[in-house]
Amino acid sequence: QVQLAESGGGLVQAGGSLRLSCALSGDTFRRYAMAWFRQIPGKEREFVAANSQRHGSIVYADSVKGRFTISRDNAKSTATLQMNALKPEDTAVYYCAASSTVILSQLRSRSGYGYWGQGTQVTVSS
């Protein structure tokens, strides 16, 4: 059974950086496209970034492009989201997601992912 374990959230001042990690267990990591989504209370969960080795594709939401970097370490079965130049509007619960079957056109879609982490809070103060 695939499980995702996130770590690295916290409180940071605007302009600062945080690094989120997501460890996958229970299957072969390199088979999985990995993604990050985020959600604030009362709003839908929104796409942040995705990395699919199978498709050779890395994509970002426009709101984080140039500030966030998603990467993966197949040897450690871990995906990482490096977040720089953080803004108060980046405050949210961040969720890691994984899928071995997602198609290229669904990389940005919640429905493309069948496995989710528990979420980690990121708070950016102004």
Side-chain angles (χ1 to χ4, degrees), residues 34-38 46-51 58-61 64 68-71 80-81 95 97 107-108 113:
M34 302 297 296
W36 291 92
F37 289 76
R38 65 188 182 186
E46 67 171 8
F47 171 76
V48 175
N51 182 322
I58 297 176
V59 292
Y60 296 95
V64 306
F68 291 11
T69 301
I70 185 172
S71 60
T80 298
L81 184 69
Y95 295 89
L107 282 179
R108 300 171 183 265
Y113 299 89

Side-chain angles (χ1 to χ4, degrees), residues 86 104 108:
L86 282 161
L104 186 60
R108 300 171 183 265

Side-chain angles (χ1 to χ4, degrees), residues 6-107:
E6 299 145 347
S7 60
L11 172 65
V12 65
Q13 288 189 332
S17 297
L18 279 176
R19 186 179 181 93
L20 305 183
S21 294
C22 175
L24 184 149
S25 60
D27 203 346
T28 305
F29 179 75
R30 65 176 179 272
R31 297 179 54 227
Y32 287 80
M34 302 297 296
W36 291 92
F37 289 76
R38 65 188 182 186
Q39 188 170 23
I40 61 176
K43 290 200 172 183
E44 291 190 350
R45 194 170 296 187
E46 67 171 8
F47 171 76
V48 175
N51 182 322
S52 174
Q53 186 170 331
R54 179 161 57 93
H55 296 105
S57 181
I58 297 176
V59 292
Y60 296 95
D62 288 344
S63 59
V64 306
K65 200 173 296 183
R67 300 187 297 122
F68 291 11
T69 301
I70 185 172
S71 60
R72 58 190 299 145
D73 185 335
N74 288 343
K76 296 182 179 179
S77 297
T78 299
T80 298
L81 184 69
Q82 177 66 43
M83 305 185 293
N84 298 329
L86 282 161
K87 304 175 181 180
E89 51 263 44
D90 294 318
T91 295
V93 177
Y94 282 71
Y95 295 89
C96 174
S99 174
S100 62
T101 59
V102 63
I103 60 177
L104 186 60
S105 61
Q106 285 190 313
L107 282 179

